[in-house]
mmCIF file of all heavy atoms in Angstrom:
data_model
loop_
_atom_site.group_PDB
_atom_site.id
_atom_site.type_symbol
_atom_site.label_atom_id
_atom_site.label_comp_id
_atom_site.label_asym_id
_atom_site.label_seq_id
_atom_site.Cartn_x
_atom_site.Cartn_y
_atom_site.Cartn_z
ATOM 1 N N ASN A 1237 -7.513 -38.858 28.733
ATOM 2 C CA ASN A 1237 -7.214 -37.521 29.229
ATOM 3 C C ASN A 1237 -7.230 -36.544 28.063
ATOM 4 O O ASN A 1237 -6.598 -36.763 27.037
ATOM 5 C CB ASN A 1237 -5.826 -37.543 29.892
ATOM 6 C CG ASN A 1237 -5.512 -36.257 30.631
ATOM 7 O OD1 ASN A 1237 -5.945 -35.177 30.247
ATOM 8 N ND2 ASN A 1237 -4.740 -36.380 31.693
ATOM 9 N N ARG A 1238 -7.946 -35.439 28.213
ATOM 10 C CA ARG A 1238 -8.041 -34.465 27.132
ATOM 11 C C ARG A 1238 -6.678 -33.883 26.762
ATOM 12 O O ARG A 1238 -6.463 -33.489 25.605
ATOM 13 C CB ARG A 1238 -9.009 -33.338 27.524
ATOM 14 C CG ARG A 1238 -10.465 -33.780 27.604
ATOM 15 C CD ARG A 1238 -11.362 -32.608 27.940
ATOM 16 N NE ARG A 1238 -12.733 -33.019 28.189
ATOM 17 C CZ ARG A 1238 -13.672 -33.144 27.262
ATOM 18 N NH1 ARG A 1238 -13.367 -32.893 26.000
ATOM 19 N NH2 ARG A 1238 -14.892 -33.506 27.582
ATOM 20 N N SER A 1239 -5.775 -33.828 27.720
ATOM 21 C CA SER A 1239 -4.436 -33.329 27.412
ATOM 22 C C SER A 1239 -3.723 -34.256 26.439
ATOM 23 O O SER A 1239 -3.007 -33.805 25.537
ATOM 24 C CB SER A 1239 -3.614 -33.189 28.701
ATOM 25 O OG SER A 1239 -4.168 -32.233 29.556
ATOM 26 N N LEU A 1240 -3.945 -35.561 26.611
ATOM 27 C CA LEU A 1240 -3.332 -36.529 25.705
ATOM 28 C C LEU A 1240 -3.971 -36.445 24.317
ATOM 29 O O LEU A 1240 -3.269 -36.473 23.295
ATOM 30 C CB LEU A 1240 -3.473 -37.939 26.271
ATOM 31 C CG LEU A 1240 -2.824 -39.061 25.451
ATOM 32 C CD1 LEU A 1240 -1.330 -38.825 25.297
ATOM 33 C CD2 LEU A 1240 -3.082 -40.408 26.103
ATOM 34 N N THR A 1241 -5.302 -36.332 24.273
ATOM 35 C CA THR A 1241 -5.979 -36.154 22.985
ATOM 36 C C THR A 1241 -5.465 -34.896 22.302
ATOM 37 O O THR A 1241 -5.225 -34.886 21.086
ATOM 38 C CB THR A 1241 -7.500 -36.058 23.179
ATOM 39 O OG1 THR A 1241 -7.965 -37.214 23.888
ATOM 40 C CG2 THR A 1241 -8.220 -35.970 21.845
ATOM 41 N N GLY A 1242 -5.274 -33.840 23.068
ATOM 42 C CA GLY A 1242 -4.753 -32.594 22.512
ATOM 43 C C GLY A 1242 -3.348 -32.744 21.964
ATOM 44 O O GLY A 1242 -3.009 -32.143 20.934
ATOM 45 N N LEU A 1243 -2.528 -33.548 22.649
ATOM 46 C CA LEU A 1243 -1.168 -33.792 22.169
ATOM 47 C C LEU A 1243 -1.191 -34.484 20.814
ATOM 48 O O LEU A 1243 -0.441 -34.111 19.893
ATOM 49 C CB LEU A 1243 -0.407 -34.646 23.184
ATOM 50 C CG LEU A 1243 0.994 -35.108 22.765
ATOM 51 C CD1 LEU A 1243 1.922 -33.914 22.607
ATOM 52 C CD2 LEU A 1243 1.559 -36.096 23.786
ATOM 53 N N VAL A 1244 -2.057 -35.491 20.669
ATOM 54 C CA VAL A 1244 -2.181 -36.198 19.394
ATOM 55 C C VAL A 1244 -2.696 -35.253 18.315
ATOM 56 O O VAL A 1244 -2.186 -35.221 17.184
ATOM 57 C CB VAL A 1244 -3.108 -37.421 19.534
ATOM 58 C CG1 VAL A 1244 -3.363 -38.066 18.170
ATOM 59 C CG2 VAL A 1244 -2.510 -38.436 20.500
ATOM 60 N N GLU A 1245 -3.694 -34.458 18.665
ATOM 61 C CA GLU A 1245 -4.257 -33.509 17.705
ATOM 62 C C GLU A 1245 -3.197 -32.511 17.237
ATOM 63 O O GLU A 1245 -3.049 -32.253 16.034
ATOM 64 C CB GLU A 1245 -5.432 -32.771 18.331
ATOM 65 C CG GLU A 1245 -6.118 -31.787 17.392
ATOM 66 C CD GLU A 1245 -7.338 -31.149 18.017
ATOM 67 O OE1 GLU A 1245 -7.550 -31.301 19.245
ATOM 68 O OE2 GLU A 1245 -8.090 -30.477 17.276
ATOM 69 N N ASP A 1246 -2.459 -31.953 18.181
ATOM 70 C CA ASP A 1246 -1.430 -30.969 17.826
ATOM 71 C C ASP A 1246 -0.341 -31.592 16.959
ATOM 72 O O ASP A 1246 0.140 -30.970 15.995
ATOM 73 C CB ASP A 1246 -0.800 -30.388 19.094
ATOM 74 C CG ASP A 1246 -1.769 -29.496 19.864
ATOM 75 O OD1 ASP A 1246 -2.785 -29.090 19.280
ATOM 76 O OD2 ASP A 1246 -1.502 -29.233 21.056
ATOM 77 N N THR A 1247 0.048 -32.816 17.297
ATOM 78 C CA THR A 1247 1.099 -33.498 16.531
ATOM 79 C C THR A 1247 0.662 -33.724 15.091
ATOM 80 O O THR A 1247 1.419 -33.472 14.144
ATOM 81 C CB THR A 1247 1.456 -34.849 17.184
ATOM 82 O OG1 THR A 1247 1.913 -34.623 18.521
ATOM 83 C CG2 THR A 1247 2.535 -35.565 16.393
ATOM 84 N N LEU A 1248 -0.579 -34.181 14.904
ATOM 85 C CA LEU A 1248 -1.087 -34.430 13.559
ATOM 86 C C LEU A 1248 -1.228 -33.126 12.773
ATOM 87 O O LEU A 1248 -0.934 -33.085 11.571
ATOM 88 C CB LEU A 1248 -2.429 -35.157 13.630
ATOM 89 C CG LEU A 1248 -2.382 -36.602 14.145
ATOM 90 C CD1 LEU A 1248 -3.795 -37.145 14.357
ATOM 91 C CD2 LEU A 1248 -1.602 -37.498 13.194
ATOM 92 N N ARG A 1249 -1.650 -32.075 13.429
ATOM 93 C CA ARG A 1249 -1.767 -30.782 12.742
ATOM 94 C C ARG A 1249 -0.389 -30.270 12.318
ATOM 95 O O ARG A 1249 -0.239 -29.687 11.227
ATOM 96 C CB ARG A 1249 -2.457 -29.763 13.653
ATOM 97 C CG ARG A 1249 -3.942 -30.038 13.860
ATOM 98 C CD ARG A 1249 -4.591 -28.917 14.665
ATOM 99 N NE ARG A 1249 -5.981 -29.213 14.997
ATOM 100 C CZ ARG A 1249 -7.019 -29.043 14.183
ATOM 101 N NH1 ARG A 1249 -6.795 -28.554 12.972
ATOM 102 N NH2 ARG A 1249 -8.239 -29.340 14.562
ATOM 103 N N GLU A 1250 0.612 -30.472 13.165
ATOM 104 C CA GLU A 1250 1.974 -30.075 12.812
ATOM 105 C C GLU A 1250 2.466 -30.811 11.577
ATOM 106 O O GLU A 1250 3.295 -30.299 10.823
ATOM 107 C CB GLU A 1250 2.913 -30.339 13.985
ATOM 108 C CG GLU A 1250 2.691 -29.419 15.181
ATOM 109 C CD GLU A 1250 3.457 -29.880 16.406
ATOM 110 O OE1 GLU A 1250 4.243 -30.853 16.292
ATOM 111 O OE2 GLU A 1250 3.276 -29.274 17.483
ATOM 112 N N MET A 1251 1.942 -32.024 11.373
ATOM 113 C CA MET A 1251 2.307 -32.809 10.200
ATOM 114 C C MET A 1251 1.557 -32.370 8.946
ATOM 115 O O MET A 1251 1.801 -32.893 7.855
ATOM 116 C CB MET A 1251 2.035 -34.295 10.471
ATOM 117 C CG MET A 1251 2.912 -34.899 11.548
ATOM 118 S SD MET A 1251 2.376 -36.590 11.955
ATOM 119 C CE MET A 1251 3.673 -37.085 13.120
ATOM 120 N N GLY A 1252 0.626 -31.444 9.111
ATOM 121 C CA GLY A 1252 -0.112 -30.923 7.962
ATOM 122 C C GLY A 1252 -1.488 -31.512 7.754
ATOM 123 O O GLY A 1252 -2.144 -31.225 6.737
ATOM 124 N N TYR A 1253 -1.967 -32.323 8.703
ATOM 125 C CA TYR A 1253 -3.268 -32.961 8.551
ATOM 126 C C TYR A 1253 -4.374 -32.081 9.143
ATOM 127 O O TYR A 1253 -4.136 -31.265 10.039
ATOM 128 C CB TYR A 1253 -3.291 -34.313 9.255
ATOM 129 C CG TYR A 1253 -2.343 -35.337 8.675
ATOM 130 C CD1 TYR A 1253 -1.247 -35.803 9.415
ATOM 131 C CD2 TYR A 1253 -2.539 -35.855 7.399
ATOM 132 C CE1 TYR A 1253 -0.382 -36.751 8.896
ATOM 133 C CE2 TYR A 1253 -1.678 -36.802 6.870
ATOM 134 C CZ TYR A 1253 -0.596 -37.247 7.618
ATOM 135 O OH TYR A 1253 0.263 -38.182 7.097
ATOM 136 N N THR A 1254 -5.602 -32.291 8.643
ATOM 137 C CA THR A 1254 -6.775 -31.688 9.260
ATOM 138 C C THR A 1254 -7.350 -32.694 10.260
ATOM 139 O O THR A 1254 -7.442 -33.894 9.962
ATOM 140 C CB THR A 1254 -7.836 -31.330 8.214
ATOM 141 O OG1 THR A 1254 -8.150 -32.501 7.431
ATOM 142 C CG2 THR A 1254 -7.328 -30.239 7.286
ATOM 143 N N VAL A 1255 -7.714 -32.202 11.430
ATOM 144 C CA VAL A 1255 -8.114 -33.085 12.529
ATOM 145 C C VAL A 1255 -9.341 -32.520 13.229
ATOM 146 O O VAL A 1255 -9.443 -31.307 13.448
ATOM 147 C CB VAL A 1255 -6.971 -33.228 13.563
ATOM 148 C CG1 VAL A 1255 -7.331 -34.283 14.616
ATOM 149 C CG2 VAL A 1255 -5.650 -33.561 12.894
ATOM 150 N N VAL A 1256 -10.290 -33.413 13.579
ATOM 151 C CA VAL A 1256 -11.419 -33.034 14.431
ATOM 152 C C VAL A 1256 -11.562 -34.090 15.517
ATOM 153 O O VAL A 1256 -10.962 -35.167 15.447
ATOM 154 C CB VAL A 1256 -12.739 -32.917 13.636
ATOM 155 C CG1 VAL A 1256 -12.633 -31.852 12.565
ATOM 156 C CG2 VAL A 1256 -13.138 -34.257 13.033
#
Side-chain angles (χ1 to χ4, degrees):
N1237 189 328
R1238 291 182 187 272
S1239 296
L1240 182 59
T1241 305
L1243 174 65
V1244 174
E1245 182 176 11
D1246 291 344
T1247 301
L1248 291 172
R1249 289 185 186 279
E1250 290 169 6
M1251 294 173 175
Y1253 296 114
T1254 54
V1255 187
V1256 299

